[in-house]
C-alpha cells in the first residue's frame, strides 16, 4: 500500500465534514465503501459503522477509531504541503480511520492470524455520556469478546499504553459581602482561599511508572472566578481543579486523593470523571505487536477510549499515524509517510505478508 | 419641627422615584416647593435645583445633598415601622434632603448668622464624570466662595470629617495556554500569581490618624477571573485591586503606593481614581458645629462629595440623619427620631432659636 493511495483516501475523508453530532455523511460514505468491498459484514448503528470479517475461531482483534472531529477552525479543506496532509481531523483521527479502511480493503481475511473487526464510531469529541463506542459495546456484546483492541488515535507510530484518568472538581470558597471601604464587615473569599490556592497550584507534575511505562500525575487550577463589582468584597470564589491520574488508580482512589487536597470547610463537587485505561503491557498480543513493529512505547498522557475497552475487559492500546500535539489545532496535519508505515506495521501484525 | 412633619416630608420624597439619570420628577417637585415658599432664589440646572437666600455679606454656608438613588430593590415604596422609615433613599440621602428642605421653609434667613444656600443635585450614585455637583460648581462659581459646606450624607448624626480616596487597578498576569494533561507545555497564570495573591490579600486594614480622626487604609481583591475551559491551562489571570486611602495622600502618592504592591512584570492599569476629601478639623465653623451639636466625630470611611467641595477650596464635612450601613440595602431605613435631631442641630448652628 503506497503513501499516495493512503493520502488520497485520507484527503477524501478530511473533506467530508463530520463535526461531533454530524457524522451521518461520513458514516454513509464508510458504509458504502465497505459494502461495495464484499467481504465481511457491515453493521450500521446510528452514525457509526461496524465491520466484521467472517468468524473463524481465531482470536478477535478490533481496529477502532472515531469519525467525528472538533469544530473547524479555518481548516475544513484538506491540502498537502511538504509531505504533510493538513486539515481538520487529519491527525485526530481520520489518518487512523483511513489506514483501517485500507487494511480491510486490501487484506484477505482468510490469510490473517486473527479474526478481524473494525469500529468507526461517532461522538468521541463530545461529552462522554454520548460517546458512540459506549453505545456499540452495549448493542454488540460480541465486541467485548475481543482479545485485543487497537485504537488508531494519533501517537506518531508509538505504542501508547493505557491512558490517564481525568476528573474535574468545582471548589467553592464562601465569604461574606461588604462594601470594599469597610472590609472588616465582611469576609473576602479570595483572601480566605489565597493560602490554599498557593499550595494547590504547587502540585508538582509527578511521574508515576505503571507496568514499566511512565504517566504524569497533574493537578491544574483551570478556571477561577470571584467577585461581581469593583467595590464589593467578594463573597464567593469558584475554582475548577482538573486532575489527571495514572492508570494504577481507581476513580474512587482518585476522588479521595483530590478531595484530600481541599480543606474540609470548602465545598467540593466532582463535576465529571473519566476512568483511566489499563496498561496491558503483559498481554501476549501487545508484546508481540511492540516487538514486530519495533515501536517506541510510552504511556498515553490524556484520555482515550482505551479506557472504555479495558473497562469492558478487552486488552487495548493506542497506535496511530497522526500527531497528538497537532490534534485540535488550526494547523493540524499528518505526516504522509506515517500512513504507509502504520499500514505496514498493522498488516504485518495481523499476519499478512510484509508490504 | 416635629419628627412627624419631617417623616411625612421624607415619605413623600421616597415615593418619588429618582434613580440616577431620572431625577427630573423629584427636581421638579423640589423646585415647585421652594418656589411656592417665596423667600430666596431658585435656580434649575438640568436635573438639579439650587436655592439661595438673599446675600447679606455674612459667611456663606451650603447644605448639600444628592437627589438620586441606586436602583430599587423591592423597596421603592416608603413604609413606617417601629419608628423607622423604610424605603429606597430613606437613608441615602433623602432624609438629609428632607431636613434641608424643612430648614429652608421654616427658618427666617434674616435671623441667621450665615448666608445660606442649598444644593439638591443629581447623579451622585453614578460614574464620577457625570456627577451633578461637579457641573454646578462650574456653572455657579459663587458656590466656591462658601465658608462651609455640610453634606447631609448618612452619618447617624455623627460629624464625619473628610473622606477616603478610592482607586481601582486592574492587574493582568500572563501565562501560556496548554492542554491541562500536559501543563509543562504551558505556563499556568494562576500558579504564577498565587504567591502574590496570598501576599496582596494579607494587606492589613491599617488605621491612619489625620488631624486627629481615624481613617482606615484598605486594599481588597474585589474581582478575580482566569481560565476559559476546564481542560485548558489558563493563560491569563485578571485581578481588580480596590484601594481606599486616607486624606493625607494625594492621588499620585496613592498610585505609587498601589503600584509598588504589584510585581513589575505584571500589567497594572489604574482604571479609576477619586481624590480624598480633606479633614477640615481646624476650620472655626466646623469646631463650632461639633461643639454646639455635641456630635461624635469620626473620619468618613468611604467617598463622598466632601472631596469635591474641599477640592474646590470649601471647608466641608458630612453630617446627616441617615445610616450609612443601610445605604444601598434592600432594607434601607432611617430612624425617624434622627430627622428632628438633625434639624435641631443644624437650626441651632445656623443661628435660629433652639427648636
Amino acid at each position: 500500500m503506497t503513501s499516495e493511495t493512503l493520502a488520497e483516501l485520507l484527503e477524501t475523508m478530511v473533506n467530508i465534514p463530520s463535526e461531533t453530532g454530524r457524522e451521518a455523511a461520513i458514516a454513509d460514505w464508510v458504509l458504502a465503501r465497505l459494502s461495495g468491498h464484499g467481504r465481511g459484514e457491515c453493521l450500521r448503528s446510528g452514525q457509526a459503522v461496524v465491520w466484521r470479517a467472517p468468524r473463524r475461531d481465531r482470536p478477535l482483534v478490533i481496529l477502532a477509531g472515531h469519525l467525528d472531529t472538533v469544530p473547524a477552525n479555518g481548516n475544513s479543506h484538506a491540502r498537502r504541503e511538504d509531505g504533510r496532509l493538513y486539515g481538520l481531523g487529519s491527525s485526530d483521527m481520520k489518518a487512523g480511520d483511513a489506514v483501517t479502511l485500507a487494511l480491510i480493503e486490501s487484506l484477505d481475511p482468510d490469510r490473517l492470524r486473527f479474526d478481524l473487526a473494525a469500529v468507526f464510531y461517532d461522538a468521541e469529541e463530545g461529552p462522554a455520556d454520548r460517546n458512540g463506542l459506549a453505545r456499540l459495546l452495549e448493542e454488540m456484546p460480541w465486541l467485548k469478546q475481543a482479545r485485543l483492541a487497537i485504537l488508531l488515535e494519533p501517537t506518531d507510530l508509538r505504542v501508547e499504553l493505557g491512558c490517564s484518568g481525568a476528573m474535574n472538581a468545582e471548589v467553592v470558597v464562601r465569604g461574606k459581602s461588604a462594601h470594599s471601604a469597610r472590609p472588616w464587615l465582611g469576609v473576602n473569599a479570595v483572601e480566605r482561599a489565597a493560602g490554599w490556592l498557593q499550595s494547590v497550584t504547587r502540585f508538582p507534575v509527578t511521574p508515576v511508572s505503571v507496568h514499566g511505562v511512565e504517566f504524569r500525575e497533574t493537578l491544574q487550577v483551570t478556571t477561577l472566578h470571584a467577585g461581581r463589582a469593583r467595590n464589593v468584597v467578594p463573597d464567593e470564589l469558584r475554582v475548577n481543579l482538573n486532575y489527571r491520574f495514572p492508570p494504577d488508580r481507581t476513580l474512587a482512589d482518585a476522588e479521595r486523593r483530590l478531595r484530600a487536597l481541599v480543606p474540609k470547610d470548602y465545598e467540593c463537587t466532582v463535576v465529571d470523571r473519566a476512568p483511566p485505561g489499563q496498561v496491558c503491557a503483559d498481554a501476549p498480543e501487545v508484546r508481540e505487536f511492540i516487538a514486530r513493529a519495533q515501536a517506541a512505547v510510552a504511556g498515553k498522557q490524556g484520555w482515550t477510549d482505551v479506557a472504555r475497552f479495558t473497562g469492558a475487559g478487552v486488552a487495548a492500546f493506542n497506535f496511530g499515524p497522526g500527531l497528538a500535539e497537532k490534534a485540535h489545532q488550526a494547523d493540524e496535519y499528518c505526516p504522509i509517510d506515517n500512513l504507509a508505515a502504520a499500514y505496514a506495521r498493522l498488516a504485518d501484525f495481523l499476519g499478512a505478508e510484509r508490504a
Side-chain angles (χ1 to χ4, degrees), chain A:
Chain A
M1 183 67 55
T2 66
S3 283
E4 179 55 30
T5 308
L6 288 161
E8 280 171 18
L9 188 55
L10 175 54
E11 191 165 354
T12 301
M13 294 181 81
V14 166
N15 284 332
I16 302 172
S18 62
E19 188 179 324
T20 306
R22 297 176 189 167
E23 302 91 340
I26 199 162
D28 288 344
W29 182 87
V30 169
L31 185 65
R33 214 169 145 125
L34 287 174
S35 304
H37 173 58
R39 280 184 297 199
E41 180 185 7
C42 291
L43 307 165
R44 170 84 182 234
S45 162
Q47 302 189 87
V49 177
V50 176
W51 173 89
R52 59 177 170 183
R55 294 300 299 263
R56 300 271 192 264
D57 288 328
R58 297 165 300 190
L60 176 60
V61 170
I62 298 171
L63 304 178
H66 60 84
L67 292 170
D68 63 319
T69 68
V70 295
N73 186 6
N75 59 356
S76 57
H77 291 285
R79 68 182 167 84
R80 295 197 220 179
E81 195 177 311
D82 296 334
R84 299 164 172 179
L85 199 148
Y86 283 87
L88 177 63
S90 54
S91 261
D92 185 15
M93 62 173 282
K94 290 179 176 175
D97 297 328
V99 167
T100 299
L101 258 184
L103 287 164
I104 296 172
E105 291 180 349
S106 62
L107 300 183
D108 177 356
D110 293 335
R111 296 183 59 197
L112 300 183
R113 299 189 297 135
F114 299 97
D115 284 349
L116 191 61
V119 175
F120 301 90
Y121 64 103
D122 55 304
E124 194 268 352
E125 300 286 8
D129 60 358
R130 286 184 230 155
N131 180 299
L133 182 61
R135 185 183 74 246
L136 293 170
L137 287 169
E138 286 300 306
E139 289 177 3
M140 305 179 191
W142 59 267
L143 290 168
K144 299 180 192 169
Q145 305 304 319
R147 182 72 63 84
L148 177 69
I150 303 175
L151 274 285
L152 284 89
E153 290 274 2
T155 69
D156 197 16
L157 305 177
R158 302 198 305 176
V159 167
E160 293 188 345
L161 296 172
C163 71
S164 305
M167 191 168 284
N168 280 297
E170 194 162 274
V171 176
V172 179
V173 185
R174 304 275 179 202
K176 180 169 176 279
S177 283
H179 194 292
S180 61
R182 301 180 195 85
W184 57 88
L185 300 177
V187 176
N188 190 318
V190 177
E191 179 181 346
R192 194 174 158 222
W196 171 71
L197 269 179
Q198 188 180 23
S199 71
V200 86
T201 55
R202 281 179 174 167
F203 189 98
V205 172
T206 309
V208 178
S209 178
V210 181
H211 294 294
V213 292
E214 187 181 287
F215 292 83
R216 302 192 196 181
E217 186 181 9
T218 66
L219 180 78
Q220 293 288 303
V221 169
T222 51
T223 66
L224 187 64
H225 298 286
R228 284 167 299 197
R230 294 190 192 275
N231 63 347
V232 176
V233 170
D235 62 352
E236 184 181 288
L237 176 79
R238 203 168 274 271
V239 178
N240 189 76
L241 298 179
N242 181 272
Y243 179 44
R244 308 280 171 157
F245 53 97
D248 59 352
R249 306 251 168 80
T250 64
L251 280 177
D253 289 339
E255 185 166 336
R256 267 192 297 277
R257 191 165 164 78
L258 184 57
R259 286 185 182 279
L261 297 171
V262 180
K264 287 285 168 270
D265 53 340
Y266 295 178
E267 295 168 27
C268 178
T269 309
V270 173
V271 291
D272 66 52
R273 58 196 102 205
Q278 296 312 306
V279 172
C280 304
D282 296 333
E285 292 78 9
V286 177
R287 295 166 115 175
E288 191 194 327
F289 184 91
I290 293 166
R292 278 183 178 252
Q294 297 187 293
V297 178
K300 169 56 90 180
Q301 185 70 20
W303 193 91
T304 73
D305 270 303
V306 158
R308 218 174 289 277
F309 275 111
T310 63
V314 179
F317 63 83
N318 304 281
F319 171 80
L323 307 181
E325 63 268 34
K326 287 295 162 190
H328 306 191
Q329 305 292 325
D331 68 340
E332 179 175 355
Y333 68 84
C334 179
I336 289 173
D337 284 347
N338 277 16
L339 298 168
Y343 175 93
R345 287 166 203 181
L346 287 160
D348 176 59
F349 171 72
L350 293 169
E353 306 291 315
R354 283 179 184 273

